[in-house]
């Protein structure tokens, strides 16, 4: 059953990188992939990051991309990584790669490579959103406890109209009872307040999916939870 909600856009900010997307361990792993010989264990966090960026910049852009993708996508074959790394300068893989579950990692790859090369790579555009969701009945809020990502993505899709790209590409999942792609559309999501019939959420996503909310203060929408198989 579809529950009805009122959604208020509390804040909408464009971003070109995700805070804390790259950890000390990530940089160390990248240095290893690039065959960096110095003892990275003795470097502090700032020194390690700076050395990693310099090492990436010492490579050709495609080779640097290959190193970053090798670290981020262990499930991809070497041939696939080689192909993508040569296409990255012209492609927008954080929007265009067929499997949306890879999009957040591509976004972070572009952010790092763009910084290392002072441009060259396309500038990724994401959004940080804070929304307040209200319902008439507290029971309607249960969908966010049952399947948070799927319920929020359906809610945001409902607020964009049938002609929005998200609704055209994922119509079956939005109308259906199983939405495994939802974490690929809303990358980071957390509930930051619960007052019974209203809840506040913060999320990070691609501008590609959320641009329709840039000039919107609020909307009415419907959503439902997944059904466990």
């Amino acid at each position: 059953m579809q529950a009805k909600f009122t959604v208020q856009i509390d804040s909408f900010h464009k971003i070109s990188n995700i805070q804390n997307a790259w950890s000390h361990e990530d940089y160390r792993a990248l240095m290893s992939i690039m065959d960096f010989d110095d003892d990275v264990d003795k470097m502090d966090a700032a020194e390690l990051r700076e050395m990693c960026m310099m090492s990436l910049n010492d490579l050709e852009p495609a080779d640097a991309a290959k190193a970053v993708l090798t670290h981020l996508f262990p499930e991809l074959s070497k041939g696939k990584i080689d192909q993508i790394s040569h296409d990255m300068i012209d492609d927008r893989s954080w929007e265009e790669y067929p499997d949306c579950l890879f999009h957040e990692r591509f976004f972070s790859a572009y952010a790092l490579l763009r910084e290392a090369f002072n441009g060259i790579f396309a500038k990724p555009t994401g959004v940080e959103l804070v929304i307040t969701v209200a319902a008439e009945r507290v029971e309607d809020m249960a969908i966010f406890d049952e399947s948070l990502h799927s319920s929020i993505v359906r809610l945001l899709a409902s607020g964009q109209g049938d002609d929005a790209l998200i609704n055209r590409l994922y119509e079956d999942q939005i109308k259906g009872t199983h939405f495994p792609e939802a974490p690929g559309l809303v990358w980071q999501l957390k509930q930051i307040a619960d007052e019974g019939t209203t809840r506040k959420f913060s999320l990070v996503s691609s501008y590609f999916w959320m641009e329709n909310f840039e000039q919107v203060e609020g909307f009415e929408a419907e959503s439902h939870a997944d059904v466990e198989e």
Side-chain angles (χ1 to χ4, degrees):
M1 187 179 84
Q2 292 279 85
K4 298 182 183 296
F5 301 93
T6 299
V7 182
Q8 176 181 306
I9 306 292
D10 298 319
S11 65
F12 181 105
H13 299 295
K14 288 184 183 179
I15 58 172
S16 56
N17 63 77
I18 298 173
Q19 191 171 9
N20 299 321
W22 292 92
S23 69
H24 198 78
E25 291 72 25
D26 289 318
Y27 294 127
R28 186 178 292 139
L30 269 177
M31 298 294 275
S32 176
I33 290 169
M34 291 185 287
D35 296 323
F36 188 80
D37 295 329
D38 291 7
D39 188 357
V40 297
D41 292 329
K42 294 180 180 179
M43 297 180 184
D44 62 26
E47 185 181 7
L48 179 59
R49 186 181 189 281
E50 182 181 0
M51 192 61 67
C52 186
M53 302 302 280
M54 290 173 58
S55 298
L56 285 169
N57 186 256
D58 284 341
L59 301 173
E60 291 297 318
D63 291 331
K66 186 175 180 180
V68 172
L69 297 184
T70 297
H71 170 59
L72 288 178
F73 297 101
E75 64 271 70
L76 292 181
S77 68
K78 290 183 178 179
K80 188 66 174 175
I81 285 175
D82 192 54
Q83 174 202 330
I84 297 172
S85 65
H86 281 88
D87 294 337
M88 277 185 72
I89 290 178
D90 297 318
D91 288 353
R92 300 165 66 89
S93 301
W94 75 92
E95 297 176 351
E96 299 169 352
Y97 193 78
D99 187 343
C100 68
L101 293 172
F102 287 21
H103 285 185
E104 181 181 3
R105 281 180 282 171
F106 273 121
F107 184 92
S108 292
Y110 275 86
L112 188 74
L113 289 164
R114 182 175 172 82
E115 182 179 352
F117 285 89
N118 194 26
I120 297 180
F121 291 87
K123 183 179 180 180
T125 308
V127 297
E128 289 179 345
L129 265 176
V130 176
I131 61 174
T132 298
V133 181
E136 290 187 0
R137 305 181 308 156
V138 70
E139 304 89 72
D140 292 335
M141 290 295 185
I143 67 170
F144 303 116
D145 299 321
E146 295 167 23
S147 53
L148 179 58
H149 263 90
S150 298
S151 299
I152 287 291
V153 172
R154 290 189 179 104
L155 188 77
L156 295 169
S158 174
Q160 297 191 49
D162 293 339
D163 60 339
L165 187 62
I166 191 172
N167 284 309
R168 289 188 276 124
L169 291 180
Y170 296 99
E171 180 181 8
D172 292 343
Q173 295 91 326
I174 290 167
K175 292 182 178 179
T177 57
H178 191 49
F179 203 162
E181 297 88 354
L185 304 177
V186 169
W187 301 332
Q188 298 183 13
L189 173 61
K190 63 181 178 180
Q191 180 176 295
I192 53 180
D194 180 355
E195 299 180 6
T197 56
T198 64
R199 295 193 191 189
K200 189 182 293 283
F201 301 95
S202 67
L203 62 97
V204 174
S205 181
S206 173
Y207 186 75
F208 187 66
W209 302 118
M210 301 297 156
E211 64 175 302
N212 288 341
F213 298 125
E214 187 169 12
Q215 305 298 330
V216 173
E217 294 183 357
F219 56 90
E220 304 292 319
E222 298 180 343
S223 186
H224 63 273
D226 282 351
V227 175
E228 290 187 12
E229 294 181 339

